[in-house]
């Protein structure tokens, strides 16, 4: 027996009923954190919101935001609302710019995580008979663990290979008949390269049909390339350690990122004023976890820019959806007065025949002035054809048509940009 949706009752709940459910849960949440955590208690008292201060969903706007900076201050367990011994699993984000953010989970939180991930993977087409090659790095990162829990809840086989050792990845993909691959999008492209070097044809020699990609900003154009390279359907996954890890959204067949809104309440704000924006307008995503026990987040500012929609979707889900992430507001660059996101440059490059998926944006800062240049690897065959200045000019023209900005492009020899088995480093500072 095969069903279309993992949880039809929730996934097709009329929007007004869904919002009622969100309100009930939000009220409960505010009471819960007020009574169980001294920092939240103080935060709420500071804005004069008591346990009965929430009457409508809009009242959430009375509450203060939660920032990444605060999470670092409360490291590691300052925002935990249960007894510490209720926590059965912890994860953490990388601490490259300070203390890491710690995600703590009770047994119920893990149950919830497995369920939203199952919902997400089910929507991607993963079923019991499938074999998921889990090539996200296992460790403190949430990624690999979320995918494992969701896939196992569905009953699929998980090959918990972790990231790296790419030849072994390809052998495992062949020997275990992997039908789904979970990793960063850039790593999937690198794996295709390795498969070819090993003498395999990525399309003919493997059973792969689904890609579950995330943890990295990637353009629609990159998605198309990956789909062609492996002959798979590539799905986007989005999540954050601060919220739950992957599983915040469910991407359907229409490639709409439905928000698992029964558990996560989304707002979009103007990043400069903090004002809430209506659906359809681009701004910074802000999430509130409605049902988590150990570490509830209230109005967490993600710094990710996207649009929130409450429109109908062909897939039949009534869950609201968000656009793909335009970029983290941290990644935004201002060059000669023009706002630039790395993903826009990627999208432009992918329009040019003969440009491979390996590129790097070089950011140079002189005083207050930022300038950009791009290095791209041509495909092997395009490289052999020579006249690379033509390729460079085409790429510059494409970038100009997107950004209205001249960014010099240099074609370099294939396979010179370092490959990554996790998040690709697309922007480097020189
Ligand atoms: Zn949909």
């Amino acid at each position: 027996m095969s069903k279309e949706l993992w949880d039809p009752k929730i996934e097709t709940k009329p929007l007004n009923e869904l919002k009622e459910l969100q309100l009930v849960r939000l009220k409960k949440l505010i009471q819960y954190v007020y009574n169980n955590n001294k920092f939240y208690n103080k935060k709420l008292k500071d804005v004069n919101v008591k346990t009965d201060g929430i009457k409508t969903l809009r009242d959430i706007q009375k509450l203060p935001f939660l920032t990444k900076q605060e999470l670092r201050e409360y490291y590691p367990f300052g925002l935990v609302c249960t007894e510490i011994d209720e926590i059965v699993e912890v994860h953490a984000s990388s601490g490259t710019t300070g203390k890491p953010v710690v995600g703590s989970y009770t047994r119920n939180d893990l149950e919830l995580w497995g369920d939203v991930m199952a919902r997400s993977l089910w929507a991607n087409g993963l079923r019991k008979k499938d074999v998921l090659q889990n090539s996200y790095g296992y460790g403190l990162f949430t990624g690999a663990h979320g995918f494992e829990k969701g896939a196992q809840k569905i009953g699929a086989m998980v090959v918990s290979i972790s990231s790296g050792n790419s030849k072994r990845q390809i052998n495992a993909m062949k020997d275990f008949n992997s039908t789904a691959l979970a990793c960063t999008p850039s790593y999937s492209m690198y794996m295709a390269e390795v498969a070819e070097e090993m003498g395999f044809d990525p399309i003919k020699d493997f059973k792969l049909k689904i890609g579950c990609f995330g943890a990295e900003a990637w353009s629609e154009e990159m998605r198309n390339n990956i789909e062609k390279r492996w002959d798979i359907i590539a799905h986007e996954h989005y999540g954050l350690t601060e919220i739950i890890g992957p599983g915040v959204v469910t991407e359907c067949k229409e490639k709409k990122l439905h928000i698992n809104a029964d558990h996560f309440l989304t707002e979009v704000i103007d990043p400069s004023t903090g004002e809430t924006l209506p659906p359809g307008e681009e701004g910074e995503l802000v999430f509130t976890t409605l049902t988590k026990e150990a570490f509830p987040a209230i109005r967490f500012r993600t710094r990710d820019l996207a649009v929130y929609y409450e429109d109908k979707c062909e897939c039949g889900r009534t869950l609201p959806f968000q656009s793909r992430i335009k970029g983290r507001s941290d990644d935004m660059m201002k060059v000669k007065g023009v706002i630039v996101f790395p993903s826009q440059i990627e999208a432009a490059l992918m329009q040019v025949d003969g440009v491979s998926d390996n590129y790097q944006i070089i950011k140079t800062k002189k005083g207050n002035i930022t300038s950009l240049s791009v290095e791209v690897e041509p495909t092997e065959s395009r490289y052999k054809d020579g006249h690379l200045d033509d390729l460079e000019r085409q790429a510059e023209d494409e970038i100009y048509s997107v950004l209205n900005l001249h960014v010099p492009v240099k074609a370099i020899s294939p396979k010179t940009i370092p490959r990554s088995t996790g998040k690709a480093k697309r922007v480097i500072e020189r």
Side-chain angles (χ1 to χ4, degrees):
M1 194 183 76
S2 181
K3 53 176 184 176
E4 265 303 299
L5 308 180
W6 177 255
D7 191 347
K9 245 177 97 180
I10 286 291
E11 291 177 84
T12 61
K13 195 185 259 309
L15 196 61
N16 59 333
E17 287 177 34
L18 183 68
K19 287 186 173 183
E20 278 167 33
L21 176 68
Q22 286 183 322
L23 180 60
V24 170
R25 290 182 167 176
L26 179 64
K27 286 179 177 172
K28 230 172 118 183
L29 170 76
I30 297 306
Q31 255 175 25
Y32 174 71
V33 300
Y34 190 92
N35 294 330
N36 291 292
N37 182 280
K38 61 177 181 190
F39 295 109
Y40 271 131
N41 182 285
K42 183 174 182 308
K43 273 181 86 130
L44 293 172
K45 276 186 181 152
D46 284 349
V47 293
N48 214 9
V49 173
K50 303 249 164 59
T51 52
D52 59 351
I54 301 289
K55 306 270 191 268
T56 69
L57 281 180
R58 289 179 68 90
D59 286 338
I60 196 171
Q61 293 172 26
K62 294 183 200 164
L63 308 178
F65 292 114
L66 180 64
T67 63
K68 204 156 194 151
Q69 186 51 40
E70 284 177 286
L71 291 178
R72 293 201 173 108
E73 282 163 27
Y74 300 141
Y75 172 88
F77 299 124
L79 287 179
V80 167
C81 293
T82 58
E83 295 297 328
I84 296 295
D85 67 1
E86 294 298 319
I87 298 172
V88 295
E89 193 164 314
V90 286
H91 290 284
S93 64
S94 67
T96 42
T97 50
K99 288 244 169 67
V101 170
V102 176
S104 306
Y105 304 76
T106 63
R107 248 178 233 293
N108 286 337
D109 292 335
L110 290 185
E111 220 15 74
L112 159 68
W113 193 12
D115 198 58
V116 286
M117 272 313 293
R119 202 190 277 181
S120 212
L121 290 167
W122 189 269
N124 296 169
L126 194 83
R127 297 293 182 267
K128 190 173 183 303
K129 62 181 189 311
D130 282 301
V131 179
L132 176 79
Q133 181 155 340
N134 197 359
S135 306
Y136 282 107
Y138 276 78
L140 275 178
F141 280 115
T142 54
H145 302 271
F147 282 89
E148 179 170 292
K149 289 174 211 300
Q152 288 181 338
K153 193 144 194 172
I154 288 172
M157 185 200 295
V158 177
V159 181
S160 46
I161 190 165
S162 192
S163 64
N165 203 339
S166 306
K167 280 188 178 156
R168 186 166 167 240
Q169 297 276 355
I170 299 305
N171 287 328
M173 193 180 286
K174 184 90 187 141
D175 298 342
F176 295 119
N177 289 320
S178 306
T179 57
L181 174 65
C183 60
T184 58
S186 57
Y187 191 34
S188 78
M189 287 307 249
Y190 178 34
M191 273 195 222
E193 207 172 279
V194 173
E196 279 166 0
E197 279 166 11
M198 291 168 73
F200 290 114
D201 178 336
I203 293 180
K204 292 193 188 121
D205 291 331
F206 301 95
K207 300 262 188 301
L208 215 58
K209 58 187 173 71
I210 305 167
C212 312
F213 303 126
E216 199 174 74
W218 52 309
S219 59
E220 248 348 85
E221 288 74 11
M222 179 68 90
R223 165 148 48 193
N224 294 337
N225 286 357
I226 295 174
E227 292 189 330
K228 275 190 218 134
R229 189 88 179 257
W230 283 105
D231 190 22
I232 58 174
I233 303 291
H235 281 289
E236 160 85 329
H237 283 261
Y238 173 78
L240 311 100
T241 310
E242 294 85 351
I243 304 306
I244 198 162
V248 176
V249 299
T250 289
E251 193 180 70
C252 68
K253 283 197 181 111
E254 308 296 321
K255 294 186 171 154
K256 293 271 189 293
L257 292 166
H258 293 279
I259 299 157
N260 292 319
D262 48 331
H263 299 293
F264 311 111
L265 178 65
T266 311
E267 299 168 84
V268 169
I269 62 162
D270 179 328
S272 49
T273 64
E275 215 171 294
T276 307
L277 299 173
E281 280 187 33
E282 185 183 272
E284 180 181 340
L285 286 169
V286 170
F287 286 105
T288 297
T289 64
L290 293 171
T291 49
K292 270 170 72 191
E293 291 179 341
F295 168 40
I298 297 178
R299 301 197 89 196
F300 175 67
R301 288 189 64 158
T302 63
R303 307 191 68 74
D304 289 336
L305 300 181
V307 187
Y308 167 83
Y309 299 96
E310 291 184 344
D311 303 346
K312 275 210 164 70
C313 181
E314 288 289 304
C315 77
R317 285 177 185 77
T318 47
L319 295 171
F321 55 91
Q322 67 186 50
S323 68
R324 300 191 63 203
I325 305 300
K326 184 174 178 189
R328 296 185 64 79
S329 43
D330 301 342
D331 296 339
M332 191 177 87
M333 300 175 282
K334 208 167 184 183
V335 186
K336 292 179 191 154
V338 181
I339 302 288
V340 180
F341 284 96
S343 58
Q344 292 174 300
I345 292 183
E346 177 180 293
L349 292 174
M350 297 297 113
Q351 300 296 330
V352 182
D353 268 348
V355 165
S356 80
D357 313 290
N358 295 296
Y359 68 93
Q360 241 169 6
I361 299 166
I362 295 123
K363 193 167 136 184
T364 324
K365 265 193 163 174
K366 259 188 203 153
N368 280 329
I369 299 167
T370 303
S371 56
L372 294 182
S373 62
V374 173
E375 290 181 352
V376 292
E377 288 181 13
T379 57
E380 299 269 1
S381 63
R382 180 63 188 80
Y383 187 72
K384 281 187 199 123
D385 290 347
H387 300 290
L388 295 174
D389 46 339
D390 287 345
L391 185 81
E392 291 167 350
R393 204 166 331 112
Q394 277 176 37
E396 288 170 1
D397 290 348
E398 280 297 339
I399 294 173
Y400 189 83
S401 70
V402 174
L403 297 173
N404 232 334
L405 181 77
H406 180 74
V407 178
V409 175
K410 192 168 185 287
I412 56 174
S413 326
K415 299 192 180 167
T416 46
I417 293 171
R419 304 298 194 254
S420 165
T421 60
K423 287 186 197 192
K425 200 162 169 47
R426 298 298 195 189
V427 182
I428 53 169
E429 281 197 45
R430 270 187 200 158

